[in-house]
């Protein structure tokens, strides 16, 4: 039986990048959903909801979440 070589620094870095992007994407999607839910909840009647504003604010929340993730994600061990 052959021993497997430990991953090189490059392979390890690629694996961490995949984990980081996955964790950041999950966090961003959750943030977008939370922002949309909070803005939709403000409208008393569905016809009163300003849908472009909900979409815009939710997208901005997702972008800000990704930018915040650059500072570090506790979900991804280094």
């Amino acid at each position: 039986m052959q021993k497997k070589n430990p991953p090189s620094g490059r392979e390890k870095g690629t694996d961490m990048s995949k984990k980081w992007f996955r964790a950041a994407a999950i966090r961003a999607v959750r943030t977008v959903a939370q922002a949309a839910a909070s803005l939709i909840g403000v409208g008393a009647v569905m016809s009163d909801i300003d849908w472009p504003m909900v979409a815009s604010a939710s997208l901005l929340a997702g972008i800000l979440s990704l930018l915040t993730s650059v500072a570090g994600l506790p979900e991804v061990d280094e």
Side-chain angles (χ1 to χ4, degrees):
M1 190 185 260
Q2 292 180 348
K3 290 184 180 179
K4 284 189 171 183
N5 291 333
S8 67
R10 187 173 187 183
E11 291 171 353
K12 198 176 202 180
T14 302
D15 189 43
M16 283 300 288
S17 294
K18 287 179 184 178
K19 286 181 182 179
W20 184 89
F21 280 113
R22 179 173 162 75
I26 290 170
R27 181 179 278 199
V29 168
R30 287 180 179 167
T31 302
V32 168
Q34 290 170 350
S38 67
L39 291 169
I40 290 169
V42 171
V45 180
M46 291 298 275
S47 62
D48 291 340
I49 297 172
D50 183 5
W51 290 107
M53 194 260 316
V54 170
S56 174
S58 299
L59 180 62
L60 178 61
I63 291 169
L64 291 174
S65 174
L66 287 173
L67 292 174
T68 303
S69 295
V70 171
L73 288 172
E75 296 93 346
V76 180
D77 295 330
E78 291 188 36

